[in-house]
Amino acid sequence: MQHNFKNYILSNTDITEEQYALLEPLTFPLSFKKGSVLLEQYQVCDRSYFVCKGLLRSYTVDEMGKEHIIQFASEDWWITDRSSFYFDEPADLFIDALEDTEVIYIQKEFLDQVAKISADYQRFNTLALQKNIRQMQKRINFLLAATAEKKYLDFIETHRKLTLRLPLHQIASYLGITPESLSRVRKELARKNFKG
């Protein structure tokens, strides 16, 4: 696990092997079985998880008990409740394991130390945050304005490798549509693609 995280940091920043050795004690490997809950809503989240192997999701539950998936995190992705992690607020989200999963988690101390060691990491982290904001903005726009078909096609394009790892009801939840709507979209797309 440590090897995956180390490669991620060294390949995306100017941090050297020697500098990483100073940071490594602030990285913590954990393994979770499928179904394990990493974060409960209303807890204060003090960890940010980097997925080395497996699949996590963050989600919220509405007053009717329906889940609304916010994010999937597979290999080389980060997941946390940002509001809780950065501002010490109670979490809005749950995070759980959809597969047996191996992670490296960091806490704020890691971010404080890496900022002292590398200005390039700050640049990398800021760029990653901006990309995340751009993706969330696009996702909000899609949730509000796109057709079910367009949402699904975008999901396939953006998360191609996840489509075979997720049950349809979870994809539907992420897209903000019912499983029945997703089933209709898939049938219509199959009909269009095999028409001929």
Side-chain angles (χ1 to χ4, degrees), residues 17-62:
E17 294 266 352
E18 295 76 24
Q19 290 170 322
Y20 185 81
L22 300 172
L23 297 169
E24 193 165 26
L26 302 174
T27 65
F28 306 96
L30 284 176
S31 296
F32 297 98
K33 291 288 186 193
K34 179 180 179 178
S36 297
V37 177
L38 287 68
L39 179 67
E40 294 270 355
Q41 191 176 34
Y42 307 122
Q43 286 180 328
V44 174
C45 179
D46 65 348
R47 299 174 178 184
S48 186
Y49 299 96
F50 176 82
V51 179
C52 298
K53 179 182 176 189
L55 182 60
L56 302 176
R57 71 171 173 161
S58 63
Y59 64 98
T60 188
V61 178
D62 68 21

Side-chain angles (χ1 to χ4, degrees), residues 173-190:
S173 172
Y174 179 82
L175 298 176
I177 60 178
T178 65
E180 296 79 15
S181 293
L182 180 55
S183 182
R184 281 191 297 275
V185 165
R186 288 167 47 91
K187 285 178 188 171
E188 182 62 23
L189 287 171

Side-chain angles (χ1 to χ4, degrees), residues 2 39 85 96 108 165 171 183 187 192:
Q2 288 284 3
L39 179 67
F85 182 74
D96 67 5
K108 287 182 189 173
R165 293 169 68 179
I171 295 173
S183 182
K187 285 178 188 171
K192 286 180 187 177

Side-chain angles (χ1 to χ4, degrees), residues 39-171:
L39 179 67
E40 294 270 355
Q41 191 176 34
Y42 307 122
Q43 286 180 328
V44 174
C45 179
D46 65 348
R47 299 174 178 184
S48 186
Y49 299 96
F50 176 82
V51 179
C52 298
K53 179 182 176 189
L55 182 60
L56 302 176
R57 71 171 173 161
S58 63
Y59 64 98
T60 188
V61 178
D62 68 21
E63 293 174 0
M64 303 298 288
K66 183 178 176 185
E67 292 179 1
H68 301 276
I69 297 175
I70 306 300
Q71 179 189 353
F72 296 111
S74 60
E75 292 78 8
D76 296 335
W77 285 53
W78 288 92
I79 192 167
T80 191
D81 182 309
R82 286 184 182 276
S83 296
S84 184
F85 182 74
Y86 287 102
F87 301 106
D88 298 316
E89 301 172 354
D92 293 323
L93 306 174
F94 294 89
I95 298 175
D96 67 5
L98 297 177
E99 298 174 356
D100 291 350
T101 301
E102 297 174 359
V103 302
I104 296 293
Y105 79 84
I106 62 167
Q107 295 175 303
K108 287 182 189 173
E109 187 179 357
F110 177 92
L111 299 175
D112 294 340
Q113 290 303 313
V114 76
K116 293 175 187 173
I117 290 172
S118 171
D120 188 59
Y121 182 86
Q122 290 296 89
R123 177 206 53 80
F124 167 72
N125 198 41
T126 299
L127 181 61
L129 179 59
Q130 294 303 325
K131 287 180 178 180
N132 182 268
I133 292 169
R134 179 180 66 185
Q135 183 62 31
M136 289 300 236
Q137 182 176 320
K138 179 182 175 186
R139 180 146 185 262
I140 291 167
N141 187 44
F142 265 72
L143 285 172
L144 295 174
T147 65
E149 181 177 314
K150 190 167 184 175
K151 290 177 188 179
Y152 181 61
L153 290 172
D154 183 70
F155 181 84
I156 291 171
E157 184 179 321
T158 306
H159 302 287
R160 182 168 305 280
K161 292 180 181 177
L162 291 183
T163 56
L164 299 176
R165 293 169 68 179
L166 294 168
L168 292 180
H169 73 275
Q170 289 181 347
I171 295 173

Side-chain angles (χ1 to χ4, degrees), residues 1-19:
M1 280 186 272
Q2 288 284 3
H3 182 72
N4 292 21
F5 184 71
K6 180 179 178 181
N7 282 345
Y8 174 82
I9 295 295
L10 296 181
S11 65
N12 286 296
T13 69
D14 66 354
I15 292 175
T16 65
E17 294 266 352
E18 295 76 24
Q19 290 170 322

